[in-house]
Amino acid sequence: MSSTPENIIGQQEMLAVRQRRRYTLCHVLTILGVFFLAAFGSLSLINNSHVLGTILLINALVGLINLYLLKRSGNVERAAKILSGILFVLSMSLLITGGENNTGMLWIYPIVAINLFINRFWPAVFVFSIFSTSSALLLFTPLSALLMTSYSLTESVRFMLTMLALNSICLAALRSEEQAYETIIQLHADDIRQMAYYDTLTGLPNRWSFKANLERMLNRAERDKQRIGLLYIDLDNFKQVNDQHGHEAGDRVLLKFSEQLLDVIRPNDQVYKPQTESLARLAGDEFVVLLPNIREPLDASIVATRILNIFKGGFNVDDVDHMLYASIGIAVYPDDSTNPTDLLHQADAAMYNAKNNGRNCFKFFTQDIADKLRERQLIEKGLRLALKEAHFSLVYMPIFDCKDSSIVAVEVLLRCHSPALKGYGPDHFIPVAEATGLIKDIDLLVIDNALDAQGVLQKEHGFNGKICINISGVELHNELFSEQVKNLLAHHKIKPNSVELEVTETAFVAGDVTCLKTLNALNELGVSLALDDFGTGYTAFNQLIHYPAHCLKIDRSFVNDLFSEREARNKMVMIIQSLAKLYDLRVIAEGVETEAQMTYLKELGCDWAQGYYLSRPLSWDDFCALLKP
Ligand code: C2E
Ligand code: CA
Ligand code: CA
């Protein structure tokens, strides 16, 4: 049997069961053995059989020691060996002395049988051959001189034949029992393999099978000069299905999609579900299709189109029409890469490109995407290094009251000094941090430093404005976040009402329960919340009432377009301003770059403003200097 992990687990489990059984058997038999040995030994001594009596009593003592050792260490293997030895001595003594009226032979049968069952099959065969060889030597060779009694030839032959027959049956029983165990192991191993290599929901092979298979396919393709297409599929809007209809409905959607996916590909094509179950709820909407032996890359696009067509006219599950689509990325072997890992990353990157290009479409991997992918990988590496070596710092952008131009707040903005990230601002590295999960550490670091700064500003500079901290939309799905903020506030002894958290409006998903829960928890802490880049998302204005927000930050592109010709955009500032009035929200205009813009905003009744015209983001020292009266 090979030693794959699943076999090892199965074997261990089987051994544990057998071990327990053998432990009990050894235990009981040793007690019985000791009892009989002591009884026979004493009787022999009384009957003047000194040699036999002594041997039996010594054996009884050894049995007692064995019992003690077994209890203390639980070592069944050793106990079985010692017990076999004791039983061997006992049965040979019975054979030699003949026992009472030569009936000793009869006792040997059960003794040998017992002996077999405390051992495993092959040791049992060994024990049996020792017993039968020794008996045969004593009965049929000159060694019979050792016998203290005499057996007729018929008696001896009958004894040997019975012993042979009886023990063959016992050995056969033992063997079949072991085979049953082996079958159990095999079934167990199959189960575990199924779990390890297949997705439990859809039954599709998962990322481990995918990796192994892709490598095998690429080797074959290299030999046969074939092309392979790799499609990376991600369902759009799947999160909403989960949020609005529950995970069970989400599971049924995935199941139905996987079935339909199998219908639109050829029998030779292969579908995988790359996400492991633990991630399934977050990103279980990703699938991979391998197309072996395509003639040209365009063949892959035909399959991609068929997959997109699955969603034409809505995706109906349980009489609900879900607004579901797919974004598909395609990479081709050997055109894009000959390395399986790269190929997967390339298809994944192409899929992101499809998502960013309006979704519900497919995109091939291109040189342009390749460059972006490389850049992303560099940024990720730089971020990890920056986190490890504390290469982050904050700059401070003052926010002014439109009425009297006093500083009423300060927005902290992140900068990274890692040499690997030279020339990259947060606009570049924050999205990468969000995609890789590094953002959680970064956000906490920023909040920690910002609250520290706010403490100093309040104590040493008499600052009584708000400190505005940008947090990623990712945090709205992080159930620990509000607690972390609470702890940091307590640690720095900062009053929550002097802190504002800014979240981009695009982070909000209508009807998202976790998102709303986090916002409410933050609101209860007493910090205020600002919707950043407001106007760029799709928040239905009537939804605003449901968010515990205190402030709208007009996106700087609208301030920029205040006097532009573009009708639809130059009115935005005014619209947002009226909206804020309606919902009693504070308004901050971002990106004020000219005097004209500032004058306009003042006249409009905008509350606060920030922008290069008023002040650039400042270093700590410059900001402190600005606060001096
Ligand atoms: P944001 O929150 O909208 O921040 C404002 C950005 O606009 C800043 O860029 C700021 O330097 C820039 N800006 C402000 N006034 C003007 C202006 O008058 N003209 C022009 N052209 N630009 C102006 P920055 O620092 O590059 O930040 C970019 C984005 O990165 C931020 O947008 C925010 O979404 C994100 N970000 C920055 N710091 C952090 C942070 O600490 N944590 C998180 N999660 N995100 C951050
Ligand atoms: Ca901001
Ligand atoms: Ca903004």
Side-chain angles (χ1 to χ4, degrees):
M1 193 166 293
S2 66
S3 52
T4 56
E6 58 267 33
N7 277 345
I8 289 168
I9 295 172
Q11 259 163 348
Q12 281 172 349
E13 202 153 285
M14 179 200 98
L15 282 184
V17 173
R18 289 205 63 195
Q19 209 73 349
R20 274 197 294 279
R21 202 203 60 192
R22 288 175 62 211
Y23 178 88
T24 319
L25 212 57
C26 279
H27 200 92
V28 174
L29 290 178
T30 312
I31 293 175
L32 281 176
V34 168
F35 175 76
F36 279 112
L37 284 167
F40 285 142
S42 313
L43 272 178
S44 302
L45 284 183
I46 293 166
N47 291 340
N48 286 331
S49 306
H50 295 290
V51 183
L52 181 64
T54 316
I55 293 176
L56 292 181
L57 285 179
I58 291 176
N59 251 300
L61 193 67
V62 174
L64 270 179
I65 296 172
N66 194 26
L67 204 60
Y68 169 73
L69 289 178
L70 178 63
K71 272 225 148 157
R72 213 183 58 172
S73 69
N75 188 338
V76 180
E77 234 44 70
R78 187 182 54 200
K81 276 191 200 119
I82 297 177
L83 187 59
S84 285
I86 295 172
L87 295 176
F88 178 71
V89 174
L90 177 64
S91 49
M92 288 310 120
S93 313
L94 285 168
L95 197 64
I96 290 170
T97 57
E100 189 95 357
N101 305 326
N102 259 9
T103 52
M105 268 180 168
L106 297 178
W107 287 100
I108 299 179
Y109 303 135
I111 291 176
V112 179
I114 284 165
N115 222 324
L116 297 187
F117 276 102
I118 56 171
N119 284 296
R120 295 179 206 196
F121 179 72
W122 286 110
V125 171
F126 175 74
V127 164
F128 172 53
S129 28
I130 298 270
F131 270 74
S132 38
T133 315
S134 312
S135 314
L137 286 176
L138 279 174
L139 292 173
F140 304 112
T141 68
L143 281 178
S144 57
L146 291 174
L147 295 175
M148 293 157 77
T149 178
S150 63
Y151 301 103
S152 69
L153 187 63
T154 327
E155 255 179 328
S156 302
V157 170
R158 196 195 307 130
F159 170 75
M160 284 310 293
L161 287 179
T162 314
M163 174 117 133
L164 214 67
L166 186 70
N167 289 300
S168 299
I169 293 170
C170 290
L171 282 175
L174 194 62
R175 185 73 201 128
S176 89
E177 185 205 40
E178 279 192 3
Q179 272 169 348
Y181 273 118
E182 270 166 27
T183 313
I184 292 170
I185 296 178
Q186 202 48 50
L187 289 175
H188 197 86
D190 287 348
D191 262 5
I192 293 179
R193 190 174 309 115
Q194 181 74 23
M195 259 155 54
Y197 295 106
Y198 293 85
D199 174 61
T200 41
L201 172 66
T202 56
L204 293 173
N206 68 10
R207 81 158 61 224
W208 307 116
S209 336
F210 168 73
K211 280 197 172 149
N213 243 8
L214 180 60
E215 227 153 275
R216 223 175 298 133
M217 263 168 86
L218 292 192
N219 286 337
R220 204 179 313 135
E222 188 185 358
R223 199 187 54 214
D224 304 344
K225 302 265 166 301
Q226 287 173 337
R227 266 207 172 95
I228 293 176
L230 198 161
L231 270 58
Y232 205 113
I233 309 168
D234 184 286
L235 299 186
D236 304 325
N237 291 348
F238 178 68
K239 203 183 155 325
Q240 275 90 314
V241 174
N242 262 341
D243 287 343
Q244 287 167 13
H245 302 276
H247 288 316
E248 271 105 55
D251 283 354
R252 283 195 291 279
V253 163
L254 288 182
L255 194 61
K256 179 161 180 196
F257 173 66
S258 67
E259 285 162 6
Q260 299 206 342
L261 194 54
L262 290 169
D263 286 344
V264 299
I265 59 173
R266 292 172 309 179
N268 266 356
D269 301 341
Q270 302 174 1
V271 182
Y272 296 87
K273 192 137 176 308
Q275 253 62 38
T276 48
E277 189 64 9
S278 59
L279 289 174
R281 297 298 164 251
L282 270 181
D285 54 345
E286 292 179 10
F287 295 80
V288 173
V289 178
L290 281 180
L291 310 171
N293 200 11
I294 50 173
R295 271 170 297 127
E296 48 182 328
L298 271 181
D299 288 350
S301 66
I302 297 173
V303 179
T305 310
R306 282 209 299 265
I307 296 171
L308 292 178
N309 283 343
I310 291 179
F311 301 101
K312 268 217 170 127
F315 193 78
N316 190 291
V317 178
D318 303 334
D319 285 331
V320 180
D321 259 328
H322 297 285
M323 299 281 283
L324 213 60
Y325 311 100
S327 297
I328 304 175
I330 306 172
V332 178
Y333 168 93
D335 308 59
D336 295 320
S337 172
T338 52
N339 175 298
T341 314
D342 287 350
L343 216 53
L344 187 65
H345 283 156
Q346 290 169 342
D348 185 26
M351 183 274 288
Y352 268 98
N353 193 32
K355 264 207 189 306
N356 292 333
N357 273 278
R359 307 169 155 208
N360 195 21
C361 63
F362 64 83
K363 291 281 173 203
F364 278 96
F365 183 71
T366 59
Q367 192 49 48
D368 189 36
I369 301 175
D371 295 342
K372 283 204 188 110
L373 191 62
R374 202 162 309 119
E375 189 186 29
R376 258 183 66 113
Q377 283 162 348
L378 275 178
I379 292 179
E380 183 184 345
K381 227 167 111 190
L383 283 176
R384 289 189 192 279
L385 193 75
L387 267 173
K388 210 162 87 192
E389 308 197 338
H391 280 156
F392 287 111
S393 71
L394 298 178
V395 290
Y396 300 81
M397 188 166 200
I399 300 177
F400 299 84
D401 190 324
C402 288
K403 284 191 214 81
D404 58 12
S405 300
S406 61
I407 296 176
V408 279
V410 56
E411 176 176 6
V412 290
L413 296 164
L414 187 62
R415 297 293 176 261
C416 181
H417 311 287
S418 183
L421 291 184
K422 214 171 161 104
Y424 289 114
D427 271 337
H428 279 98
F429 64 71
I430 293 286
V432 179
E434 287 180 333
T436 51
L438 292 171
I439 191 69
K440 292 189 180 175
D441 290 335
I442 295 179
D443 277 346
L444 288 182
L445 184 98
V446 171
I447 299 172
D448 191 24
N449 285 316
L451 295 183
D452 191 40
Q454 175 71 321
V456 179
L457 290 173
Q458 288 175 343
K459 271 196 217 92
E460 294 174 20
H461 299 272
F463 181 65
N464 54 15
K466 279 186 190 290
I467 190 138
C468 305
I469 308 170
N470 292 288
I471 59 161
S472 159
V474 170
E475 307 299 358
L476 301 186
H477 296 277
N478 175 3
E479 292 188 350
L480 303 175
F481 185 67
S482 60
E483 194 63 26
Q484 290 167 334
V485 173
K486 185 179 168 184
N487 293 340
L488 283 170
L489 283 167
H491 175 75
H492 291 282
K493 301 196 178 66
I494 297 294
K495 288 213 181 75
N497 63 6
S498 68
V499 176
E500 182 151 282
L501 297 180
E502 299 186 4
V503 196
T504 53
E505 182 213 351
T506 43
F508 294 84
V509 179
D512 189 311
V513 191
T514 347
C515 182
L516 211 58
K517 223 166 102 184
T518 308
L519 287 175
N520 284 327
L522 289 171
N523 188 38
E524 272 163 31
L525 287 184
V527 298
S528 56
L529 293 165
L531 297 188
D532 209 348
D533 303 341
F534 194 78
T536 57
Y538 307 96
T539 313
F541 289 154
N542 58 4
Q543 285 268 340
L544 265 180
I545 197 95
H546 301 300
Y547 298 137
H550 306 85
C551 170
L552 302 183
K553 288 192 89 165
I554 305 178
D555 189 63
R556 72 167 188 267
S557 63
F558 299 119
V559 175
N560 199 37
D561 281 350
L562 262 180
F563 307 115
S564 87
E565 307 286 293
R566 296 160 68 190
E567 270 284 321
R569 295 187 62 87
N570 61 22
K571 297 259 184 321
M572 262 314 256
V573 174
M574 206 179 70
I575 293 170
I576 296 174
Q577 177 65 40
S578 346
L579 190 73
K581 273 230 163 67
L582 193 66
Y583 289 106
D584 199 19
L585 299 169
R586 180 164 27 90
V587 173
I588 305 181
E590 274 187 323
V592 182
E593 291 185 348
T594 66
E595 192 180 351
Q597 290 167 347
M598 192 60 214
T599 314
Y600 179 90
L601 290 165
K602 259 186 199 167
E603 279 168 13
L604 198 67
C606 180
D607 301 293
W608 298 355
Q610 68 184 112
Y612 291 176
Y613 170 71
L614 302 162
S615 167
R616 295 229 163 210
L618 303 171
S619 67
W620 169 251
D621 290 339
D622 288 348
F623 180 64
C624 291
L626 191 70
L627 287 180
K628 290 226 165 73

